[in-house]
Amino acid sequence: MKRYLDYLWPLIGLVAVIWSVDLLWEKLKAEAGTDSAIQTLLEQGSLWDNIRIVAMRIGHKIAVIPPEAFLHAGLATLVAYAALAWYDRIALLHLGKEKGISWFYISLCSFVTYALSHNIGASVFSGGMVRYRAYTAKGLSAAEVAVLVALCSFTFAFGTLLLMGLVLLYEPEILRPLGRMSSWFKIGDGTARLMGVGMLAFVALYTIGSWLKFRPLKIGKLEVIYPRLPIVARQYLAAPLELAGAAGIIYFALPEQGNPGFLIVLGAFLLSFSAGLLSQVPGGVGVMEAVFLAVMPGVSAPAVFAALLIWRLFYLILPLVISLPVVLAFERAQLKRSTRIAPPP
């Protein structure tokens, strides 16, 4: 059974990519074809000619993004990655292992972890291994690193549920356009609000559990301690800050005309980013764009695609480029250290 499951997720991811890229391509072609002259070219041209035409339309949308939008997107990226570093700090506080580990070290470790896991996917193996190498070097055990990784993942999920619950409560119509992707996604405003209430109820129950000081959960030799209120309070701040920063990159890169406002952009980001993560596709390529375009029919597809390209540049590509030398420098330092302390033969 396990053998078959090993192939299941990659297969689901492949199907999701093919389906999403097809939806994305049809949407971009339809938007480009609103000009009758371009429509004629699309009908008569080959696939490569059509790709070139659509790419030129997207390039034009990127070219008209003002310089201050790039500046704001850069600042939003810094906010997002600073909050991600806070995730690690919160987990270390929960474990009581924060002493002797500087903010700078935590920030570097977190930055590299998320730069790799966001781009490569399979975060347990990519980002998880970075954390294991970095934090065991600071004295944490493998079990403690596992708890740290789990709590960071939960903090992200907690923030997603909190913000998505608020979005569905105040903007339930955000789910209406998803019905065009598939009849499975047809959800009424009333149902959307109930889903939002359910998400917020889970957040409230988690908080109440912390307030009541639930007992630790024992799994064999591993003891999982329920986070206390000071930890939960930090999660209430760090998780929404990170998600708002990431969504802010897209918001600032979108044109003013037709921009639906930050709350809708935030909701579209939460839906599309979560879909990308669930698909197990590195960077959510194709899946994220298809969902985002479906949720925001009021903005032209090339403009949305251009904003998502800016998001990928700031949130994924540049951090990956910066993180690789950091990984090499860390491993080199660890190699030198092990060589110095190795006993003579």
Side-chain angles (χ1 to χ4, degrees):
M1 185 67 180
K2 185 179 182 298
R3 244 179 99 192
Y4 292 114
L5 288 174
D6 288 340
Y7 293 101
L8 179 62
W9 276 115
L11 181 61
I12 291 172
L14 180 62
V15 171
V17 169
I18 294 170
W19 179 58
S20 301
V21 169
D22 181 62
L23 283 172
L24 182 62
W25 176 241
E26 291 303 319
K27 180 75 173 175
L28 288 169
K29 271 206 311 182
E31 286 286 345
T34 53
D35 184 309
S36 57
I38 293 178
Q39 177 64 32
T40 304
L41 289 172
L42 288 171
E43 290 172 355
Q44 297 175 353
S46 65
L47 175 62
W48 291 112
D49 290 334
N50 292 348
I51 290 173
R52 182 175 55 82
I53 291 167
V54 170
M56 285 175 61
R57 297 275 291 186
I58 295 167
H60 174 71
K61 294 296 182 183
I62 292 175
V64 298
I65 296 175
E68 58 268 23
F70 283 98
L71 174 63
H72 292 151
L75 292 173
T77 307
L78 291 176
V79 168
Y81 272 92
L84 285 172
W86 200 3
Y87 283 16
D88 281 40
R89 175 72 176 178
I90 290 169
L92 288 168
L93 285 167
H94 171 69
L95 291 165
K97 296 287 183 176
E98 76 282 3
K99 291 180 181 178
I101 307 178
S102 69
W103 259 107
F104 179 75
Y105 189 89
I106 294 170
S107 299
L108 269 184
C109 176
S110 170
F111 179 79
V112 172
T113 294
Y114 288 106
L116 291 176
S117 60
H118 286 158
N119 284 278
I120 299 172
S123 58
V124 172
F125 300 104
S126 55
M129 285 305 296
V130 172
R131 280 199 178 105
Y132 176 79
R133 292 281 293 149
Y135 288 122
T136 52
K138 290 292 184 179
L140 271 70
S141 67
E144 287 170 335
V145 175
V147 172
L148 183 144
V149 171
L151 190 60
C152 287
S153 298
F154 180 80
T155 301
F156 167 80
F158 174 81
T160 301
L161 289 173
L162 173 61
L163 291 182
M164 198 66 227
L166 292 172
V167 169
L168 290 177
L169 207 58
Y170 290 101
E171 302 282 358
E173 67 278 5
I174 193 173
L175 297 184
R176 287 182 205 164
L178 290 178
R180 298 186 190 124
M181 295 179 70
S182 171
S183 58
W184 290 90
F185 300 141
K186 285 186 178 178
I187 299 171
D189 290 359
T191 305
R193 277 203 172 94
L194 281 175
M195 289 168 63
V197 170
M199 291 175 184
L200 294 176
F202 175 86
V203 170
L205 286 172
Y206 169 68
T207 309
I208 291 169
S210 177
W211 176 56
L212 294 176
K213 298 181 180 178
F214 281 0
R215 291 180 180 179
L217 174 65
K218 289 188 177 181
I219 307 171
K221 292 182 179 180
L222 180 65
E223 188 178 61
V224 181
I225 299 173
Y226 202 99
R228 298 307 181 214
L229 278 177
I231 299 298
V232 175
R234 288 174 171 87
Q235 289 176 310
Y236 266 100
L237 295 172
L241 188 64
E242 188 272 318
L243 293 165
I249 303 168
I250 303 170
Y251 173 75
F252 291 123
L254 285 171
E256 287 186 18
Q257 186 177 1
N259 193 316
F262 183 73
L263 200 59
I264 294 292
V265 173
L266 175 62
F269 171 76
L270 294 172
L271 287 169
S272 59
F273 192 65
S274 298
L277 287 176
L278 290 172
S279 71
Q280 292 292 302
V281 178
V285 175
V287 179
M288 186 172 174
E289 282 79 0
V291 175
F292 209 102
L293 283 167
V295 175
M296 299 185 66
V299 186
S300 73
V304 173
F305 197 81
L308 288 171
L309 283 176
I310 300 302
W311 177 82
R312 289 193 178 280
L313 175 66
F314 279 86
Y315 195 74
L316 300 180
I317 299 171
L318 287 177
L320 180 62
V321 171
I322 296 168
S323 69
L324 293 178
V326 175
V327 173
L328 292 173
F330 173 79
E331 292 298 337
R332 186 166 175 241
Q334 289 297 102
L335 182 62
K336 282 185 176 179
R337 182 172 174 272
S338 62
T339 304
R340 282 198 306 266
I341 63 174

